């Protein structure tokens, strides 16, 4: 798979748009994204990435934070791929000042 260019730079602060509500869903035992038309159940990796898209952290911060949790793995390619998809789906965006 060829890496696409990120739609935002490493210093972009990432957030989940207000249309979505990100939360832990006890009944699902997973993080979910709720929106007016339904719900998206997230796998563990996606939940860990999106939980960091809180409007205060940059892409670089998110990658560094996850890398500290998993020092034996190169997490950047997976984080990048997920955030590219999440951005295309409208689940995450670069915060505008």
């Amino acid at each position: 798979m060829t890496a696409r260019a990120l739609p935002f730079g490493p210093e972009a602060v990432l957030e989940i748009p207000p249309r979505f509500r990100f939360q832990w869903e006890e009944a699902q035992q997973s993080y979910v994204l709720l929106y007016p038309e339904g719900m998206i159940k997230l796998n563990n990796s996606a939940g860990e990435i999106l939980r960091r898209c809180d409007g205060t952290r940059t892409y670089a911060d998110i990658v560094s934070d996850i890398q500290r949790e998993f020092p034996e793995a190169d997490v950047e390619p997976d984080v990048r791929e997920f955030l590219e998809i999440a951005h295309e789906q409208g689940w995450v965006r670069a915060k505008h000042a």
Side-chain angles (χ1 to χ4, degrees), residues 19-65:
R19 172 175 188 248
F20 296 98
R21 188 170 76 216
F22 175 77
Q23 67 183 41
W24 175 259
E25 185 65 41
E26 193 63 36
Q28 300 289 329
Q29 285 296 297
S30 68
Y31 285 108
V32 297
L33 270 180
L34 300 173
Y35 60 107
E37 298 83 22
M39 177 182 80
I40 301 161
K41 182 178 177 182
L42 302 165
N43 66 27
N44 290 341
S45 298
E48 287 301 315
I49 295 167
L50 279 185
R51 125 179 131 75
R52 290 167 169 86
C53 296
D54 58 8
T56 65
R57 300 178 204 193
T58 66
Y59 170 79
D61 294 337
I62 293 166
V63 170
S64 292
D65 192 38

Side-chain angles (χ1 to χ4, degrees), residues 76-89:
E76 197 277 336
D78 292 333
V79 172
R80 176 189 184 96
E81 181 179 5
F82 173 75
L83 286 174
E84 287 170 350
I85 293 166
H87 183 266
E88 287 174 4
Q89 295 296 319

